[in-house]
Amino acid sequence: MKYAVLLLLLIGFNRVSAQPSDRVRDSLRDLSRKDHRLMMDRLGITELRPGPSGNPEAPNAANRDESKASPCTFLPDPLVFDNGGGVKTSQQWQLRRKELIDLFDSEIYGKTPETVPAVSWQVLEETDTTVGTYDVHVTQLRGEVDNTIYPDIDVTIDMELTVPSDTMLVPLILQFTWNLPAGWRRPPADGPTWEEQLLKQGWGFAKIYPTSYQADNGAGLTQGIIGLVNKGQPRKMDDWGTLKAWAWGAGRAMDYFETISAVDADRVVIEGLSRYGKAAIVTMAYDQRFAIGFIGSSGAGGTKIFRRIYGEQVENLASAGEYHWFAPNFIKYAGPLTPNDLPVDAHELIALCAPRPVFISSGSPDVEGHWIDARGMFLATAHASPVYELLGKTGLGTMKYPPEGAALMSGDLAFRQHEGGHTVGPNWPYFIEFAMRYFEP
Ligand code: GCU
């Protein structure tokens, strides 16, 4: 019991908690492996193909040779129904959208339960202060989840909301924020921070801490919001993974924005980087209240084509270190099935966002590395374009991979590979210019 309490504290339910010690990290890894193995047993799988290494010097380094990236020539068509019929109208697209959602639910991200306990938002603290030269009003919030169905598990959502002082109905950027210890934070880049850039436009921002309500490991799947709904039991094969749980939290944040006059809930952006970029595109795809997506270096499991043999692979995502992001069913695609057996691919996840605007951001492969596969993200964006066009919007407008720094943002889907590393940092000014087109009164 003591051990369970210790785990609860350290799994990441409190964003101010210390980082786990090596010993706790080892036991979390063991518990994740155990749950991963249990899911494999239930799927009747004995062995998985190992993924390549992210270390470019390793003998099994992930492929970064474009000529070897695309042995498969087939990509599922978002505009063809499962029965082979064509999708020709926006009404038909609504039906096709449901088909795609069912496939993403059962095979990749898992199904968000139909009833998840309610969240009530508490204001913990309100402060009038400044960010740079801007006067702001900051609210510390905690979303308390009703746990009467299983009182052993407490779940709370941590969020901080910052809006320009004395204004109403501002556009807002909701960021999935990393809970990094102080020493790990990057030094600020030159020039105004992203927060200052948003405040300059008169926009606000909110930071939601995903690990406050669902830990980022397999050990935590019997805890957090997933564990609460399952009353502490392991997941079923099409149960939601962590990305869907994180997206659920963003949806509850949106519920809160809908109740306050400071924020214009019709102009809320969802933003995230890397695994939180994956969570951001999943949020955007499923919750149609979000107006725009700003998706940073989300790579495999996010906006990169799964079928491409370049950088991170399905085999990595399905391993004990990352499978928790997905439904247990997804593990099958690392053996006996292959990524080519997936009924859907990442371009169709982007298409689920249509007709709402999405900006896909990547760093420079020379700086960020090739793991996230910038071209794979570009291709997914390009192949999502026909759905935008069917709905009367403008897609990416080209199938030609742009050089670093070129901003493809004349349509409702945007792509830009900046000159920096694993961050959205240098793309903020471009994203703001893109979003202004939709947010200007
Ligand atoms: C790892 C993982 C990626 C993920 C990234 C991150 O590199 O393989 O899929 O996006 O971590 O979240 O930083």
Side-chain angles (χ1 to χ4, degrees), residues 149-164:
I149 59 159
Y150 195 69
D152 281 5
I153 297 180
D154 277 324
V155 186
T156 54
I157 307 175
D158 290 342
M159 181 164 73
E160 183 184 271
L161 168 68
T162 303
V163 290

Side-chain angles (χ1 to χ4, degrees), residues 178 273-275 278 297-298 300 312 317 322 325 371 422:
W178 292 81
L273 173 75
S274 210
R275 67 200 61 190
K278 307 185 210 298
S297 297
S298 62
E312 186 169 22
L317 299 171
E322 299 182 357
W325 293 336
W371 189 239
H422 199 47

Side-chain angles (χ1 to χ4, degrees), residues 244-438:
K244 277 300 256 337
W246 290 339
W248 164 86
R252 304 300 62 78
M254 175 61 101
D255 296 345
Y256 175 73
F257 302 142
E258 288 177 338
T259 67
I260 57 170
S261 54
V263 171
D264 181 354
D266 290 334
R267 294 188 291 173
V268 177
V269 172
I270 184 74
E271 185 261 331
L273 173 75
S274 210
R275 67 200 61 190
Y276 294 154
K278 307 185 210 298
I281 188 70
V282 169
T283 304
M284 184 70 190
Y286 279 83
D287 190 333
Q288 299 188 72
R289 295 174 298 170
F290 286 90
I292 310 185
F294 183 20
I295 316 298
S297 297
S298 62
T303 57
K304 160 228 168 83
I305 298 284
F306 283 116
R307 285 165 165 76
R308 261 173 69 82
I309 302 181
Y310 194 105
E312 186 169 22
Q313 297 296 291
V314 165
E315 287 79 359
N316 301 97
L317 299 171
S319 72
E322 299 182 357
Y323 78 104
H324 60 280
W325 293 336
F326 307 95
N329 267 339
F330 183 67
I331 300 172
K332 297 181 301 201
Y333 296 93
L337 302 179
T338 75
N340 282 331
D341 296 311
L342 280 165
V344 281
D345 212 316
H347 59 306
E348 293 169 303
L349 184 68
I350 301 174
L352 292 180
C353 305
R356 294 161 298 142
V358 182
F359 187 116
I360 308 285
S361 165
S362 144
S364 159
D366 294 338
V367 187
E368 182 172 38
H370 294 251
W371 189 239
I372 64 136
D373 185 10
R375 190 189 290 257
M377 299 197 297
F378 163 78
L379 286 171
T381 317
H383 285 286
S385 297
V387 176
Y388 277 74
E389 284 150 17
L390 176 74
L391 301 183
K393 298 288 174 180
T394 315
L396 206 49
T398 179
M399 291 302 285
K400 198 163 162 252
Y401 187 49
E404 187 177 305
L408 297 180
M409 49 187 247
S410 59
D412 299 289
L413 283 173
F415 176 87
R416 183 171 185 269
Q417 197 188 133
H418 63 67
E419 67 284 8
H422 199 47
T423 168
V424 296
N427 268 344
W428 273 109
Y430 295 87
F431 171 75
I432 290 171
E433 192 186 323
F434 175 70
M436 262 163 59
R437 295 212 308 258
Y438 304 93

